[in-house]
């Protein structure tokens, strides 16, 4: 009988410890990120924002830059590319007008996509962490059309959002 009582008390103590640990973790979350090789404990996260940047360069000059929240970056890239087509069409005769689906840069280009997440937390008023960055080079022979660029940005946005949701989204 004494052995059963001792085992029951030990089980209750362990259950109590686990319960207290779960309560502590719920009240004092220990969200952790790595920034420049340093582990930072955020504590409770009050807000988080994803900001993406798309930069297209060619011939050592910037051809297009868009910085926007990740949820609107595709829309803004599309709008800028549509504006490029509209401006290009102003000098073309009616039969030679370009469309978004057929327009492309007539130079080698580098497409750089990056996203930064900024947290407002218990321990930091504002801390930013690079989340994802991709750089892709294309030659003029690839004839990467504007619609292809929009599709690449869309795929990047989806992948980055998924990475964020799986590993860095601390607000449920």
């Amino acid at each position: 009988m004494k052995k059963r009582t001792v085992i029951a008390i030990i089980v209750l103590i362990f259950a109590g410890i686990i319960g207290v640990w779960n309560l502590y973790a719920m009240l004092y979350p220990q969200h952790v990120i790595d920034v420049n090789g340093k582990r930072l404990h955020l504590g409770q996260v009050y807000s988080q924002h994803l900001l993406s940047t798309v930069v297209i360069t060619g011939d050592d000059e910037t051809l297009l830059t868009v910085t926007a929240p990740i949820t609107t970056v595709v829309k803004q890239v599309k709008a800028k590319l549509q504006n490029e087509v509209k401006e290009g069409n102003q000098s073309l005769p009616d039969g030679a007008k370009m469309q978004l689906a057929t327009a492309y840069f007539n130079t080698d280009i580098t497409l750089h996509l990056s996203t930064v997440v900024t947290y407002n937390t218990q321990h930091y008023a504002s801390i930013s962490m690079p989340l994802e960055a991709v750089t892709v080079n294309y030659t003029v022979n690839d004839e990467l059309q504007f619609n292809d660029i929009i599709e690449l940005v869309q795929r990047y946005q989806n992948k980055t959002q998924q990475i964020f949701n799986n590993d860095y989204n601390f607000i449920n």
Side-chain angles (χ1 to χ4, degrees):
M1 197 67 146
K2 287 185 181 186
K3 284 185 181 181
R4 287 185 183 173
T5 306
V6 170
I7 292 173
I9 291 172
I10 290 173
V11 168
L12 286 174
I13 288 172
F14 281 128
I17 290 171
I18 292 170
V20 167
W21 176 253
N22 287 338
L23 179 63
Y24 176 79
M26 186 176 72
L27 294 175
Y28 302 102
Q30 297 300 310
H31 303 300
V32 177
I33 60 172
D34 289 320
V35 177
N36 298 327
K38 296 179 183 176
R39 283 181 68 97
L40 301 176
H41 294 275
L42 301 178
Q44 187 173 359
V45 176
Y46 306 123
S47 68
Q48 53 196 13
H49 305 283
L50 290 152
L51 192 64
S52 293
T53 301
V54 176
V55 178
I56 300 174
T57 57
D59 293 334
D60 295 325
E61 70 175 285
T62 301
L63 304 173
L64 180 119
T65 300
V66 172
T67 299
I70 196 166
T71 55
T72 64
V73 71
V74 173
K75 182 179 178 182
Q76 292 194 28
V77 166
K78 184 175 182 178
K80 281 228 179 176
L81 290 173
Q82 284 175 327
N83 191 45
E84 291 288 326
V85 169
K86 182 180 175 184
E87 286 179 13
N89 281 339
Q90 289 177 351
S91 62
L92 295 174
D94 285 339
K97 301 269 187 203
M98 297 181 293
Q99 300 293 320
L100 193 62
T102 58
Y104 62 94
F105 291 107
N106 59 355
T107 184
D108 295 347
I109 64 167
T110 299
L111 178 63
H112 181 75
L113 306 138
S114 61
T115 300
V116 173
V117 59
T118 302
Y119 296 103
N120 177 7
T121 72
Q122 178 181 3
H123 302 301
Y124 300 95
S126 179
I127 184 131
S128 295
M129 176 188 78
L131 185 61
E132 188 73 13
V134 175
T135 301
V136 186
N137 297 308
Y138 294 97
T139 66
V140 68
N141 296 334
D142 295 327
E143 292 186 9
L144 184 71
Q145 297 171 337
F146 285 7
N147 271 352
D148 297 331
I149 292 171
I150 294 165
E151 183 182 325
L152 286 167
V153 174
Q154 180 69 57
R155 283 188 291 176
Y156 170 81
Q157 175 200 8
N158 293 342
K159 177 185 167 213
T160 303
Q161 187 69 54
Q162 185 176 8
I163 290 169
F164 174 75
N165 290 342
N166 291 343
D167 300 323
Y168 301 101
N169 183 357
F170 301 127
I171 298 176
N172 296 327

